[in-house]
Amino acid sequence: ITINGFTAPEGGITIIGQMFRMTDAKNVIIRGMKFRGGYNYTDPNNQYSKSAFLMGNTKGFIVDRCSSGFSLEQSIGGNGGNANDPLSGATFQNNLVGNTSRVGIIGQGITSDQSLRNMPTKVSYHRNVMVDCGWRTPNVAGNVRADIINNFVHNWQNRTSSFTGTAYNGQPSTQKTRSNIIGNYYQAGTNSRTSGSNVLYKINDNNIEPEFHFYDNYITSDVLKGKAAGYDYTDPSTAH
């Protein structure tokens, strides 16, 4: 499946008001689309209806040169956030995200199916620009190998990314997240300086045994009072 907004007449294709979501699909390419959904959600009991763009239970897809914004939840993400919604083989690249509550979660959704919880997932997040987006730039969830490379983040709030398992009804997570965080530029803004947080990355679940490779990232130094990365699960003050 290919959805190519660049083939549309002048002005392109914009999805306004409601969430765009694709599930149960394979080998999908989405290019040149504009997503402005989530602010006009119809289900107040479903927080993910406030999102602009989500992919779930999808294998092999690329989101390239799209833009997303103005959502009240995730703006552009790839786990769906619901039970039995795994994601595998995804690339988000060259996208522009702005003026949104959160960017997105990449990885696996929460599920009671242990076989799905242990299914390995690979996700790439390359050369994206995220401005005035709160947090989740992106978050990483589940048994994931995530490559977060050459992104630009401006004026985040509270934190940029967190890393967590997919525990279900209090069951401990058994996954391991492996993240390569390379060549990213984190530029603080007003929200970054007034959010009261000194955390750039946050470990939400000590059971996932996270592994990181950090290299060549630039971080505005006047914001972080604590460590930008590194943690000791026995000492909550170091869980960054």
Side-chain angles (χ1 to χ4, degrees), residues 215-236:
Y215 180 73
D216 199 27
N217 298 289
Y218 179 85
I219 305 166
T220 305
S221 59
D222 65 331
V223 174
L224 300 175
K225 303 179 186 65
K227 298 179 180 179
Y231 81 106
D232 175 0
Y233 72 90
T234 64
D235 182 359

Side-chain angles (χ1 to χ4, degrees), residues 30-44:
I30 299 177
R31 285 197 172 106
M33 295 287 292
K34 293 176 282 187
F35 302 97
R36 304 293 186 269
Y39 62 86
N40 190 24
Y41 61 95
T42 56
D43 184 358

Side-chain angles (χ1 to χ4, degrees), residues 49-91:
S49 70
K50 302 177 184 180
S51 301
F53 173 94
L54 290 178
M55 304 287 282
N57 197 20
T58 306
K59 296 183 180 180
F61 76 84
I62 298 172
V63 180
D64 176 45
R65 288 176 286 172
C66 293
S67 67
S68 183
F70 303 107
S71 64
L72 300 176
E73 238 290 334
Q74 295 190 67
S75 193
I76 182 167
N79 83 321
N82 295 313
N84 304 323
D85 242 3
L87 172 78
S88 180
T91 297

Side-chain angles (χ1 to χ4, degrees), residues 187-214:
Q187 184 183 70
T190 301
N191 291 337
S192 312
R193 293 183 169 89
T194 60
S195 63
S197 174
N198 61 355
V199 174
L200 196 66
Y201 309 111
K202 183 179 180 182
I203 312 299
N204 281 345
D205 188 341
N206 290 318
N207 293 298
I208 59 175
E209 300 179 4
E211 296 179 358
F212 298 97
H213 174 65
F214 292 98

